[in-house]
Every structure is written in C-alpha cells, then in structure tokens.
Amino acid sequence: MTETKGIVTAVNGNMVSVRFDGTVSMNEVAFVKVIEQAPGSEAVVVTKLKSEIIRIRGDVAQIQVFEITKGIKIGDEVEFSGEMLSVEVGPGLLGQVFDGLQNPLPKLAKAAGFFLERGVYLPPLEHDLEWQFTPLLKVGDKVERADTLGTVPEGSFKHRIMVPFNLYGNYTVSMIKPEGSYTLKDTIAELKDEKGNVFPVTLSFKWPVKRAVDCYEERLKPSDPMVTRVRLVDTFYPVAKGGTYCIPGPFGAGKTVLQQITSRFADVDIVIIAACGERAGEVVETLIEFPELIDERTGRYLMERTIIICNTSSMPVAAREASVYTAVTLAEYYRQMGLHVLLLADSTSRWAQAMREMSGRLEEIPGEEAFPAYMESTIASFYERAGIVRMRDGSFGSVTIGGTVSPAGGNFEEPVTQATLKVVGAFHGLSRERSDARKFPAIHPLESWSKYKGIIESDKVNYALGFMRKGSEVEQMMKVVGEEGTSSEDFIVYMKGELIDSVYFQQNSFDPIDAAVKPERQKYVFNKLLAVLASQFQFADKNEARSWFNRLRQKFLDYNGCEWQSDRFKTIESEIEDRLKSQSKGMDKEALKLIE
C-alpha cells in the first residue's frame, strides 16, 4: 500500500467517487474499507473491497468496485495500492478455475462456503508448493526480459521460467540456483544490470492485465489453419492459428456447445475459457464436464491443459471486464513459452453491457443503443492481442481468440456484433432456423465467412458452396410456385444442396466418431461428395430423384459413423460409388479439373 489515502464522496451503483490526497494513476488498484457489524454479533468487522481507478478528475477519482457495494458510505476510507490491476503468472495455472480477479474459486468456496463473501481475496497460486527447477543458463550469461532461465514440469509441458517482463534492458546472471525443488517465492536467480543493481527472480511474477505482452521478436500474419475437427469450420470457414473469429447467435442456438467441442479437439496446446457474464447454468455444466473429459492428445484429463476464468451473470458486473483481460493476459504468458493457445470468450455481449452500464454511471455521451462511443476501439484492442509471434530463440507461439456474441433476438445489425465483425478474421453466424431444425453446428452456411485459408483448396470449396446458394434460391422459389413449378434440373440442384448440408455441414455431436473428424478424413470424404455434386443425373420424375438422393444421404450418414478405413467404411464406400456409377450420365466439365 502507498501513503495515498482517500475518502468516499459519492456512491452510484458499483462506481464510487473518491477524493484523494497524494498521487494515483489510471487502472491502479484501490481498496474501499467498509465498517459493518458482524451478523449475530455486536462485533465490528472491517471489509476491504477491491476496485480499480477508471477516471481521474483533479483530486477526485472514480473507481469501479468489483464487489457488491452495499454498506459503503460517504466518508469511508480508501487505500491505494500503487499497483496496476495484475495477474500472477507462474507454474500452477493450468487446471485452475479462477474468478475475474484470479481468485481460485474452489479454495474460495472452501474458505467462504456456498455463498461467497465479499472482500475475500486468495493468492492464485500455491506459494508453498515445491517445483522441480532445471536451470538452462549459468552465471555470466547475458539475458533480456522474457529470456528463459530454466524450466519446471507442469503437466505434459515444460513451463519456462522467464526473466520478468517488466525488467527492460540488458542483464547479467549473477546467481542461479542448481537443479532442485523450490517454492514460487524462493529466489532462483539474481540478475545484475549495467549499473550494478541486483534484481532477484522467483518462479512467479505479476503483470498488469490491461497491458499486452510484447516480448517477442516479430509478429507474423496468421496462415496455418487451426484444426477444430468441425467440418463446416475447417473446410468452409476456417480459423487460423493466431487469428480471431466470432460466433454470434440468438440464445439457445448452440454457441456454448460449439465452443466446448472446439476446446476439446482444437489443434492447440492450451485452452483458456473466459465465461464473462454467461449464465450460471451453462458455466456449471462446463465445470462439471471438463474435469471428466479425457484428452486424446495426451491420454490425460483435458482439464490439465485448460484454465477457466469464471465470472457468471450473477456475479458483480464490473468483474466481467476484469475476467476478459485476465484471460487474455494468461494466454499471452503461455504464448511467450512457444505454445499455441486458444482463448474462448463467452460472451462478449455481456462484457459490452457492463461497459454500457459503467459508461452511464460516468455520465459519458452515449453512442448507438446507449453503448459508449469507445466500445468499438475497446473490442478491437482486445482482439488485437491475438496473433502468432516469433520469439528471440526462434520458437513460435500463438493466441487465437474466439468470442461469442449474444445479440438480442439474433439481430446481427446491433452494435456489439457489428463492432466485432470489423476486427475478426472469421464469422460463424448461428441461425435460429437451423438450430430449431436440430442442425449442429447451426452455423449458417450462406451468411458466414472467413478470410483465412482452410484445409481444402478454395476453388473446390467455392464449387460446393455454389450448390448451397443455388439450392437455397430454388427452395425459396418452390415456396412460391410449389415443387411442380420447378424444372427437373433445378430440383436436382436443390437435392444436391440438401445432400451436402445433411452429410457434410451437419455432424452428430453424440456420435464418438462423427463428433470430431480429423483433417485427412475430411479431405477424403469431401472429394467423394464432390464427385456426386459434379455428376450429371437424369431421373424419370422428381419422386425418383428424391428417393435416390435420400438413399444416398443415408449411405453417407452411415459412412460418417464408421471407423476410418475399417472394413465397414470400405464396404459402404463401394456401395456409394456403385450407386453413383449406375445413375451418373457424365461429369460437369468445370468440376473435372477440380476432381483430377
């Protein structure tokens, strides 16, 4: 704590005005001292409520309190810490469940019971737990910030113990401990700067959440696909490692389910889930299911390479913003180790609503739908912290950010969705119509888009999407003139569009094989499907065409549920090829080049 003190002069919800005497800075952490009577006793209890400075006007600072502000009165004392809102980074983060302020929730529950008390803050990491440290440098070596001093094992990873990111300049290793077991607060190295000042280094350190980690050598353009094993995503609307994407959609359209499947099967090392204002029921489902899931990459529990930042809609509004920045800072920390990290934020709409609420209390000029005028730049600054980077040692790491948006009524024209679309590289728009039809994923194939390269050539993808677009046009026409008013050629195009929708766009999330499809299988099956789309057919009438395509559709569904390259897989594949040969009257010349 600093010598700067303050006095509460006004309270407006979770925003408190404080007159201070001394020096303070933006984003500094302050504690409001609330004096209240203990329940069932005459004893007086002093509770310190954590807060952050969000505006300074002369000698008055506005602070947002991360707790319920009941009991705060004019004249209450405020202490300023002199530190920015920060997270502690070091070994032991993986497998943890934190709130937006990095309090470990399981320990908080043990300390406070089912109903969490305000003013209780616990250290995020186990300071007494010993870690097996292996030094990689020796006395006399020259280092800069983020250089690796040694490693400790954390799950299936080697956790790099790095020079703290706030140590700018060049340093010389004056002392480094030998291999052995040390706690987080033990000094494992000492660094001397050019002036002879010595800085002790421990296994953990703090970093402010509002400040991006920029210790890398070069920032690169995202290019390699991040495989999710969701066919519609990997093939048609891919996401790149180090890229950004958003999943807007109405309530109940499957955003959370899609994120959970992505987190289980995405081709990344670390998964960080930020539940910023999501409904408690969905968060509880995640907390119950994740510890039981087995990660097929390692054969261990998936939770061992996952961090959950939990700030539900029933928690104080101000903490939603903190949870988003806490999550992205932890992601950047692991990226600095040369790891690939996926950050899933659910839902950024609730974060924007918290911004709107605070902006109203600050009496700022409102923008569209009363959101603050700076909302777009704030959302952009969050997504800009994604990226793939090259470190000084030549290793590469990435942070991929996927955010869900919950527009009221599924209206994609509302400000939060539009602000997000301006900065992300892929858009996976969920459709209420497809969700109600029990189609998973409910990503609309004609409204979604991606700027990234996928696992299949773009000309093949565009050819297949052409049938979806034409088929959709024929379907709209049939709603007006009826099926009998449609030509046979148009009806076959419509049936081809329905075929690719039902056998490739959709997946059975309850089927252990079809729920997650590896890239090589996606490419193989897509080429089989491409042969059907490129074939020219002739049927006696529409009923014969419908019957033939329905049987073929069922064959493909059985095909999707078979083990890759099993005997049954090959048998059904032969049956599909025989059916195609018996009915095909030739191939589309445009598609022949693609298939070859």
Side-chain angles (χ1 to χ4, degrees), residues 28 46 73 100 109 116 128 142 205 223 236 238 242 249 265 322 340-341 350 357 371 455 458 463 471 481 537 583:
E28 183 177 342
V46 178
K73 304 181 295 296
L116 301 183
D128 297 330
K142 304 291 184 181
F205 61 91
S223 58
F236 291 92
F265 299 108
H340 298 286
V341 186
R350 270 56 174 270
E357 187 173 324
F371 285 103
I455 62 173
S458 59
Y463 182 80
V481 301
F537 301 107
Q583 193 62 44

Side-chain angles (χ1 to χ4, degrees), residues 202-340:
T202 60
L203 295 181
S204 68
F205 61 91
K206 290 187 175 182
W207 182 257
V209 297
K210 299 287 179 72
R211 186 173 176 183
V213 177
D214 57 353
C215 308
Y216 45 82
E217 186 72 17
E218 183 183 12
R219 191 181 182 93
L220 307 172
K221 180 180 178 180
S223 58
D224 296 334
M226 182 192 74
V227 176
T228 65
R229 299 200 192 177
V230 177
R231 287 190 293 255
L232 184 53
V233 174
D234 294 341
T235 301
F236 291 92
Y237 306 112
V239 178
K241 284 183 179 178
T244 56
Y245 68 102
C246 70
I247 310 176
F251 295 104
K255 297 187 294 294
T256 304
V257 176
L258 181 58
Q259 279 202 333
Q260 288 186 4
I261 285 185
T262 303
S263 63
R264 288 177 60 186
F265 299 108
D267 181 25
V268 293
D269 300 309
I270 308 290
V271 177
I272 299 178
I273 299 173
C276 48
E278 194 50 73
R279 289 172 291 182
E282 296 183 2
V283 176
V284 168
E285 185 179 336
T286 301
L287 295 177
I288 291 175
E289 288 184 359
F290 259 68
E292 303 299 326
L293 296 175
I294 300 297
D295 181 14
E296 65 174 33
R297 295 179 60 191
T298 62
R300 306 163 72 139
Y301 287 109
L302 180 65
M303 194 65 195
E304 291 187 14
R305 61 181 184 93
T306 302
I307 303 173
I308 298 178
I309 310 296
C310 182
N311 180 247
T312 65
S313 56
S314 57
M315 292 181 177
V317 173
R320 294 179 190 177
E321 182 188 28
S323 63
V324 170
Y325 287 109
T326 295
V328 74
T329 303
L330 296 181
E332 289 174 329
Y333 174 69
Y334 278 100
R335 176 179 67 182
Q336 202 62 39
M337 299 183 199
L339 299 174
H340 298 286

Side-chain angles (χ1 to χ4, degrees), residues 356-371:
R356 177 169 62 183
E357 187 173 324
M358 188 53 61
S359 175
R361 287 175 180 158
L362 288 170
E363 299 180 356
E364 296 171 333
I365 297 175
E368 188 179 355
E369 293 190 17
F371 285 103

